[in-house]
Short mmCIF file of all heavy atoms in Angstrom, two decimals:
data_model
loop_
_atom_site.label_atom_id
_atom_site.label_comp_id
_atom_site.label_asym_id
_atom_site.label_seq_id
_atom_site.Cartn_x
_atom_site.Cartn_y
_atom_site.Cartn_z
N GLY A 42 -5.29 0.74 -4.15
CA GLY A 42 -5.41 1.17 -2.76
C GLY A 42 -5.18 0.00 -1.83
O GLY A 42 -5.73 -0.05 -0.73
N GLY A 43 -4.37 -0.97 -2.29
CA GLY A 43 -4.01 -2.10 -1.44
C GLY A 43 -4.72 -3.38 -1.81
O GLY A 43 -5.82 -3.36 -2.36
N ALA A 44 -4.05 -4.50 -1.51
CA ALA A 44 -4.62 -5.83 -1.77
C ALA A 44 -4.65 -6.60 -0.48
O ALA A 44 -3.93 -6.28 0.45
CB ALA A 44 -3.75 -6.57 -2.79
N GLY A 45 -5.47 -7.63 -0.41
CA GLY A 45 -5.50 -8.47 0.79
C GLY A 45 -6.83 -9.13 0.98
O GLY A 45 -7.56 -9.41 0.03
N THR A 46 -7.16 -9.37 2.26
CA THR A 46 -8.39 -10.08 2.59
C THR A 46 -9.56 -9.09 2.52
O THR A 46 -10.05 -8.62 3.53
CB THR A 46 -8.27 -10.66 4.01
OG1 THR A 46 -7.00 -11.29 4.11
CG2 THR A 46 -9.35 -11.69 4.28
N ILE A 47 -9.95 -8.78 1.31
CA ILE A 47 -11.01 -7.81 1.09
C ILE A 47 -12.18 -8.58 0.50
O ILE A 47 -12.15 -8.95 -0.67
CB ILE A 47 -10.55 -6.70 0.12
CG1 ILE A 47 -9.23 -6.09 0.59
CG2 ILE A 47 -11.62 -5.64 -0.02
CD1 ILE A 47 -8.52 -5.26 -0.47
N ARG A 48 -13.17 -8.88 1.36
CA ARG A 48 -14.28 -9.72 0.91
C ARG A 48 -15.59 -8.96 1.00
O ARG A 48 -15.79 -8.17 1.92
CB ARG A 48 -14.39 -10.97 1.78
CG ARG A 48 -13.20 -11.85 1.68
CD ARG A 48 -13.49 -13.25 2.21
NE ARG A 48 -12.26 -14.01 2.22
CZ ARG A 48 -11.72 -14.56 3.30
NH1 ARG A 48 -12.31 -14.43 4.47
NH2 ARG A 48 -10.60 -15.22 3.21
N ASN A 51 -17.42 -8.86 4.26
CA ASN A 51 -16.88 -8.05 5.35
C ASN A 51 -17.09 -6.56 5.12
O ASN A 51 -16.61 -5.74 5.89
CB ASN A 51 -15.37 -8.28 5.51
CG ASN A 51 -15.07 -9.74 5.80
OD1 ASN A 51 -15.93 -10.44 6.33
ND2 ASN A 51 -13.89 -10.19 5.45
N TYR A 204 -0.35 -10.03 8.74
CA TYR A 204 -0.55 -10.21 7.32
C TYR A 204 -1.97 -10.64 7.00
O TYR A 204 -2.29 -10.92 5.86
CB TYR A 204 0.42 -11.26 6.77
CG TYR A 204 1.85 -10.94 7.06
CD1 TYR A 204 2.66 -11.83 7.73
CD2 TYR A 204 2.39 -9.71 6.68
CE1 TYR A 204 3.98 -11.51 8.01
CE2 TYR A 204 3.70 -9.39 6.97
CZ TYR A 204 4.48 -10.29 7.64
OH TYR A 204 5.77 -9.99 7.92
N THR A 205 -2.81 -10.74 8.03
CA THR A 205 -4.13 -11.30 7.78
C THR A 205 -5.14 -10.23 7.37
O THR A 205 -6.12 -10.53 6.72
CB THR A 205 -4.66 -12.00 9.03
OG1 THR A 205 -4.65 -11.06 10.10
CG2 THR A 205 -3.81 -13.19 9.40
N ASN A 206 -4.89 -9.01 7.74
CA ASN A 206 -5.83 -7.95 7.39
C ASN A 206 -5.65 -7.50 5.96
O ASN A 206 -4.66 -7.76 5.34
CB ASN A 206 -5.59 -6.73 8.29
CG ASN A 206 -6.40 -6.80 9.54
OD1 ASN A 206 -7.45 -7.43 9.54
ND2 ASN A 206 -5.92 -6.19 10.60
N LYS A 207 -6.65 -6.77 5.48
CA LYS A 207 -6.44 -6.09 4.22
C LYS A 207 -5.26 -5.15 4.40
O LYS A 207 -4.98 -4.70 5.50
CB LYS A 207 -7.69 -5.32 3.82
CG LYS A 207 -8.13 -4.27 4.83
CD LYS A 207 -9.41 -3.65 4.36
CE LYS A 207 -10.16 -2.91 5.45
NZ LYS A 207 -9.43 -1.95 6.22
N PHE A 208 -4.54 -4.88 3.35
CA PHE A 208 -3.32 -4.10 3.51
C PHE A 208 -3.58 -2.59 3.36
O PHE A 208 -3.58 -1.88 4.33
CB PHE A 208 -2.26 -4.60 2.53
CG PHE A 208 -1.88 -6.05 2.79
CD1 PHE A 208 -2.29 -7.05 1.94
CD2 PHE A 208 -1.13 -6.38 3.88
CE1 PHE A 208 -1.94 -8.38 2.17
CE2 PHE A 208 -0.76 -7.70 4.11
CZ PHE A 208 -1.18 -8.69 3.25
N GLY A 209 -3.82 -2.11 2.15
CA GLY A 209 -4.23 -0.70 2.03
C GLY A 209 -3.18 0.28 1.56
O GLY A 209 -3.41 1.49 1.53
N THR A 210 -2.03 -0.25 1.19
CA THR A 210 -1.00 0.59 0.54
C THR A 210 -1.60 1.26 -0.69
O THR A 210 -2.54 0.73 -1.27
CB THR A 210 0.16 -0.34 0.14
OG1 THR A 210 0.77 -0.81 1.32
CG2 THR A 210 1.19 0.33 -0.75
N THR A 261 1.58 -4.16 -4.08
CA THR A 261 0.99 -4.13 -2.74
C THR A 261 0.78 -5.56 -2.25
O THR A 261 0.35 -6.43 -3.01
CB THR A 261 -0.35 -3.38 -2.71
OG1 THR A 261 -0.92 -3.54 -1.41
CG2 THR A 261 -1.34 -3.87 -3.76
N GLY A 262 1.11 -5.79 -1.00
CA GLY A 262 0.97 -7.12 -0.45
C GLY A 262 2.06 -7.36 0.58
O GLY A 262 2.60 -6.42 1.15
N HIS A 263 2.38 -8.62 0.78
CA HIS A 263 3.33 -9.00 1.82
C HIS A 263 4.74 -8.61 1.36
O HIS A 263 5.38 -9.32 0.58
CB HIS A 263 3.21 -10.51 2.04
CG HIS A 263 3.91 -11.00 3.23
ND1 HIS A 263 3.57 -12.16 3.87
CD2 HIS A 263 4.97 -10.50 3.91
CE1 HIS A 263 4.39 -12.35 4.89
NE2 HIS A 263 5.25 -11.37 4.93
N GLU A 305 1.41 -13.18 -0.76
CA GLU A 305 0.09 -12.66 -1.10
C GLU A 305 0.18 -11.20 -1.53
O GLU A 305 0.91 -10.42 -0.94
CB GLU A 305 -0.83 -12.77 0.13
CG GLU A 305 -2.26 -12.39 -0.20
CD GLU A 305 -3.16 -12.36 1.03
OE1 GLU A 305 -2.71 -12.69 2.13
OE2 GLU A 305 -4.33 -11.97 0.85
N GLY A 306 -0.58 -10.86 -2.57
CA GLY A 306 -0.62 -9.46 -2.99
C GLY A 306 -0.94 -9.30 -4.45
O GLY A 306 -1.44 -10.22 -5.10
N GLY A 307 -0.67 -8.12 -4.95
CA GLY A 307 -0.96 -7.82 -6.34
C GLY A 307 -0.16 -6.63 -6.80
O GLY A 307 0.68 -6.09 -6.05
N PHE A 321 -3.85 -9.78 -9.08
CA PHE A 321 -3.63 -9.97 -7.64
C PHE A 321 -4.00 -11.41 -7.30
O PHE A 321 -4.85 -12.01 -7.95
CB PHE A 321 -4.44 -8.98 -6.79
CG PHE A 321 -5.91 -8.96 -7.09
CD1 PHE A 321 -6.81 -9.70 -6.32
CD2 PHE A 321 -6.42 -8.21 -8.14
CE1 PHE A 321 -8.17 -9.68 -6.58
CE2 PHE A 321 -7.78 -8.19 -8.42
CZ PHE A 321 -8.66 -8.93 -7.64
N ASN A 322 -3.32 -11.96 -6.29
CA ASN A 322 -3.61 -13.34 -5.90
C ASN A 322 -4.28 -13.40 -4.53
O ASN A 322 -4.37 -14.47 -3.93
CB ASN A 322 -2.33 -14.20 -5.96
CG ASN A 322 -1.27 -13.70 -4.99
OD1 ASN A 322 -1.59 -13.18 -3.93
ND2 ASN A 322 0.00 -13.86 -5.33
N SER A 323 -4.73 -12.26 -4.04
CA SER A 323 -5.45 -12.18 -2.76
C SER A 323 -6.94 -12.14 -3.06
O SER A 323 -7.36 -12.21 -4.21
CB SER A 323 -5.01 -10.91 -2.03
OG SER A 323 -5.06 -9.81 -2.91
N ASP A 324 -7.77 -11.98 -2.00
CA ASP A 324 -9.22 -11.93 -2.21
C ASP A 324 -9.66 -10.71 -3.01
O ASP A 324 -10.62 -10.74 -3.76
CB ASP A 324 -9.96 -11.90 -0.87
CG ASP A 324 -9.88 -13.24 -0.16
OD1 ASP A 324 -9.70 -14.26 -0.86
OD2 ASP A 324 -9.97 -13.26 1.07
N GLY A 325 -8.98 -9.61 -2.77
CA GLY A 325 -9.38 -8.38 -3.45
C GLY A 325 -8.24 -7.41 -3.56
O GLY A 325 -7.17 -7.59 -2.95
N MET A 326 -8.45 -6.38 -4.37
CA MET A 326 -7.49 -5.28 -4.46
C MET A 326 -8.28 -4.04 -4.89
O MET A 326 -8.98 -4.08 -5.90
CB MET A 326 -6.37 -5.61 -5.46
CG MET A 326 -5.33 -4.49 -5.57
SD MET A 326 -3.82 -4.99 -6.49
CE MET A 326 -4.35 -4.79 -8.19
N TYR A 327 -8.17 -3.00 -4.10
CA TYR A 327 -8.78 -1.73 -4.51
C TYR A 327 -7.99 -1.25 -5.72
O TYR A 327 -6.77 -1.07 -5.63
CB TYR A 327 -8.68 -0.70 -3.39
CG TYR A 327 -9.35 -1.14 -2.11
CD1 TYR A 327 -8.59 -1.51 -1.01
CD2 TYR A 327 -10.74 -1.21 -2.02
CE1 TYR A 327 -9.20 -1.93 0.17
CE2 TYR A 327 -11.35 -1.62 -0.85
CZ TYR A 327 -10.58 -1.98 0.24
OH TYR A 327 -11.19 -2.40 1.39
N ILE A 340 -13.05 -3.69 -6.71
CA ILE A 340 -12.53 -4.10 -5.41
C ILE A 340 -12.27 -5.61 -5.36
O ILE A 340 -11.18 -6.04 -4.98
CB ILE A 340 -13.52 -3.73 -4.27
CG1 ILE A 340 -13.74 -2.20 -4.23
CG2 ILE A 340 -13.01 -4.24 -2.93
CD1 ILE A 340 -14.78 -1.75 -3.20
N TYR A 341 -13.26 -6.39 -5.73
CA TYR A 341 -13.18 -7.83 -5.52
C TYR A 341 -12.64 -8.56 -6.76
O TYR A 341 -12.44 -7.96 -7.80
CB TYR A 341 -14.56 -8.38 -5.16
CG TYR A 341 -15.26 -7.56 -4.12
CD1 TYR A 341 -16.35 -6.77 -4.46
CD2 TYR A 341 -14.79 -7.54 -2.81
CE1 TYR A 341 -16.98 -5.99 -3.50
CE2 TYR A 341 -15.41 -6.76 -1.86
CZ TYR A 341 -16.52 -5.98 -2.21
OH TYR A 341 -17.12 -5.20 -1.28
N LYS A 342 -12.49 -9.86 -6.60
CA LYS A 342 -11.94 -10.67 -7.67
C LYS A 342 -12.95 -10.82 -8.81
O LYS A 342 -12.62 -10.75 -9.97
CB LYS A 342 -11.60 -12.06 -7.10
CG LYS A 342 -10.59 -12.81 -7.92
CD LYS A 342 -10.16 -14.08 -7.22
CE LYS A 342 -9.05 -13.84 -6.25
NZ LYS A 342 -8.66 -14.99 -5.47
#
Side-chain angles (χ1 to χ4, degrees):
T46 314
I47 307 165
R48 296 197 186 121
N51 301 335
Y204 304 124
T205 56
N206 271 333
K207 59 183 163 51
F208 298 106
T210 293
T261 173
H263 191 156
E305 187 186 357
F321 54 97
N322 62 32
S323 48
D324 288 335
M326 181 168 82
Y327 301 107
I340 300 176
Y341 313 109
K342 201 173 275 175

